[in-house]
Amino acid sequence: MIKRTFLIGSLLIGINAVHAQEMMPGEGVQYANPFQTGSARFNAMGGSFGAIGGDISSIHINPAGSAVNVANYATGGLNLNMENNQGNYFGNNQRANKTNFDFSNVGVVFNFENSNPESSLKKTTLSFDISGNSFLDRDVNFKGINENSIANYFLQHANQGYDGAAVPIGLIQDSNLSIGDLYADLNSIPQGFSAQQALLGFQSYLLDFDSGAGNYVSTMANGPYLQEHYARSRGTNNKITANLAFDFNNRFYVGANVNFHTIDRRMTKEIYEGTQSNVQNGVTEILFTNDLYTYGNGFSFNIGGMAKVTEELRAGLSYQSPTWYNLNDEFEQFMETIVVTDGASEYVDASPYVITLYDKYKLKTPGKINASLAYVFGHNGLINVDYSRTDYTTMKYGKGDEFALINNFYKDHLQASNEIRVGGEYRIDAWSLRGGYRWQQSPYKNKELMDDLFGISAGFGYSFGNKRIDLAYTYLQQKYATPMISSGLNDMAKITQKNNMITLSYNVYF
């Protein structure tokens, strides 16, 4: 069994959590804060449905919302997501565009009227919905000229990764074993990840061992260095929801969900560095690739209630539990360099070609509370306001000391985040016009790491017979910072992420 350990390095604000691989806090935050998408009506109104319901996607905000439906219906939709990420690194701007189609949601609602007119329970509603996260498919690229080399990443692991001391040279050098065999054998020791990084640096001739000093030195040629970062994320984070809701006297509504989550995601990062100097000896180019495949499942639940304060004024209150994930990681690394000796260049492939399967681990994302008010203008329209609060300091990996550093990072650097969503709808005969606004406070205390999220949306629907078609446009923007490499350098790239999403839904009432 592979043990997960941590060592102190320099991650973002000076903390780097390392288990069997380096766990970046942003990965957990992303799973804790997915972009909830749903039907076109839901998206057009900014996901603001906590006090009105009546749309299957509203159950993700307030599970009581399904009891407002007056008919059985089935729905399905597609998203066209166009994402633009602009990276700025040492003043150099670079864009990465990604367009993808996927489903927004597929669901069905069944209403069961109570045949007893004297009963306060007027209706029971059973709903099922499958929704996706359209924003896991993304590319983030940036490049610039840096005076500091990514060789510092390998040096830090080599000189400090063995319980604060240098990795013994005997662990990473054996003429009888291949690079792959050495790399695989290091999985069996607690300091294995750092030793593997030392191995990649040493076997690619980027590091040399000074036997007199008992530590490693870099053989990277003098800078400055052109550094390029290419990151690709592909995958899904889907949620399957079963909902049960009750209508009491056509005035009070209560409901609950059970949710089953699945994650299947591959993240590939390629980091290139090349010296801008003319040299006769030393490493002049590095291509370092990390491929992480994460998969697993999770569970959560929701409870909520809604009330008609008057015929026009509605109120809602709901709670979304944490999501408890069980996750698996498969990890592969590739290391290539160009080494110059007396002016002659040599290509070196120090890739181990080993896929490491790490121990299953747990992630608990924070829960959320939501309070809502809505005003209904008869049959002409409505407006809804949602307020949500999520305490990201409660996010936690696993149990025990092995996850202490990253969990302490969350406690120290994250905060409770407030969110406001406003949505409105106006009906003209068979047409419905919609609009929405969304603002979400950064989960980080330091907004330079991740800024607030801002979004606007608009759309329309048209009803014909027992069918309705809806179209929505959503724009989201958020700025955040990301490092060139996970440790060894403090230099950050600033990313501006913009999403333009078009959602088309089709509803059939029966």
Side-chain angles (χ1 to χ4, degrees), residues 234-386:
R234 302 290 185 267
T236 58
N237 184 5
N238 295 328
K239 180 165 69 172
I240 303 170
T241 299
N243 165 264
L244 183 65
F246 304 95
D247 172 0
F248 294 95
N249 294 320
N250 297 318
R251 186 173 179 183
F252 299 102
Y253 310 88
V254 296
N257 300 342
V258 289
N259 310 299
F260 302 93
H261 305 255
T262 61
I263 289 177
D264 191 283
R265 184 188 189 192
R266 184 175 296 277
M267 292 177 287
T268 302
K269 292 184 179 181
E270 294 182 346
I271 299 170
Y272 169 82
E273 178 176 286
T275 181
Q276 301 296 285
S277 303
N278 293 321
V279 297
Q280 292 296 306
N281 292 282
V283 174
T284 58
E285 295 181 71
I286 304 169
L287 180 60
F288 181 44
T289 303
N290 287 264
D291 186 84
L292 174 63
Y293 175 42
T294 300
Y295 55 95
N297 53 69
F299 171 81
S300 66
F301 66 88
N302 306 63
I303 56 173
M306 292 169 49
K308 291 183 179 178
V309 182
T310 67
E311 280 302 312
E312 295 80 18
L313 183 64
R314 317 290 173 87
L317 184 66
S318 60
Y319 169 73
Q320 176 181 305
S321 78
T323 301
W324 293 274
Y325 283 108
N326 289 295
L327 300 176
N328 298 274
D329 285 349
E330 295 182 12
F331 191 58
E332 189 171 12
Q333 295 185 293
F334 304 88
M335 184 69 175
E336 302 163 77
T337 59
I338 298 294
V339 182
V340 175
T341 304
D342 296 330
S345 297
E346 178 187 359
Y347 166 76
V348 177
D349 183 359
S351 304
Y353 298 99
V354 171
I355 298 175
T356 301
L357 174 62
Y358 293 118
D359 291 345
K360 181 179 291 188
Y361 60 98
K362 298 180 182 296
L363 169 65
K364 186 192 80 170
T365 66
K368 177 188 291 188
I369 58 171
N370 188 86
S372 311
L373 283 175
Y375 193 86
V376 179
F377 303 92
H379 295 289
N380 295 323
L382 55 87
I383 185 169
N384 185 92
V385 179
D386 288 340

Side-chain angles (χ1 to χ4, degrees), residues 126-296:
L126 183 63
S127 306
F128 300 94
D129 186 58
I130 303 175
S131 58
N133 180 356
S134 298
F135 305 104
L136 283 185
D137 286 359
R138 67 176 46 161
D139 295 340
V140 178
N141 303 336
F142 54 87
K143 63 181 178 180
I145 303 297
N146 192 352
E147 295 293 334
N148 301 310
S149 172
I150 66 171
N152 293 329
Y153 165 85
F154 298 95
L155 269 180
Q156 178 175 292
H157 281 289
N159 286 329
Q160 302 173 28
Y162 201 75
D163 289 336
V167 174
I169 186 65
L171 291 177
I172 62 174
Q173 178 180 245
D174 188 332
S175 60
N176 296 318
L177 295 176
S178 67
I179 295 174
D181 290 336
L182 287 167
Y183 187 96
D185 287 347
L186 292 173
N187 280 323
S188 62
I189 68 172
Q191 305 85 3
F193 182 79
S194 285
Q196 287 170 338
Q197 308 317 292
L199 169 71
L200 296 178
F202 183 79
Q203 295 289 348
S204 65
Y205 302 105
L206 179 62
L207 302 182
D208 198 5
F209 184 71
D210 185 339
S211 57
N215 61 14
Y216 296 85
V217 294
S218 170
T219 62
M220 187 67 192
N222 293 331
Y225 309 98
L226 170 64
Q227 295 175 344
E228 301 182 20
H229 175 284
Y230 299 94
R232 298 181 299 277
S233 172
R234 302 290 185 267
T236 58
N237 184 5
N238 295 328
K239 180 165 69 172
I240 303 170
T241 299
N243 165 264
L244 183 65
F246 304 95
D247 172 0
F248 294 95
N249 294 320
N250 297 318
R251 186 173 179 183
F252 299 102
Y253 310 88
V254 296
N257 300 342
V258 289
N259 310 299
F260 302 93
H261 305 255
T262 61
I263 289 177
D264 191 283
R265 184 188 189 192
R266 184 175 296 277
M267 292 177 287
T268 302
K269 292 184 179 181
E270 294 182 346
I271 299 170
Y272 169 82
E273 178 176 286
T275 181
Q276 301 296 285
S277 303
N278 293 321
V279 297
Q280 292 296 306
N281 292 282
V283 174
T284 58
E285 295 181 71
I286 304 169
L287 180 60
F288 181 44
T289 303
N290 287 264
D291 186 84
L292 174 63
Y293 175 42
T294 300
Y295 55 95

Side-chain angles (χ1 to χ4, degrees), residues 86-102:
Q86 178 173 298
N88 183 288
Y89 189 62
F90 287 99
N92 183 74
N93 291 318
Q94 187 173 9
R95 293 181 182 272
N97 299 317
K98 180 71 176 70
T99 300
N100 67 286
F101 279 98
D102 65 359

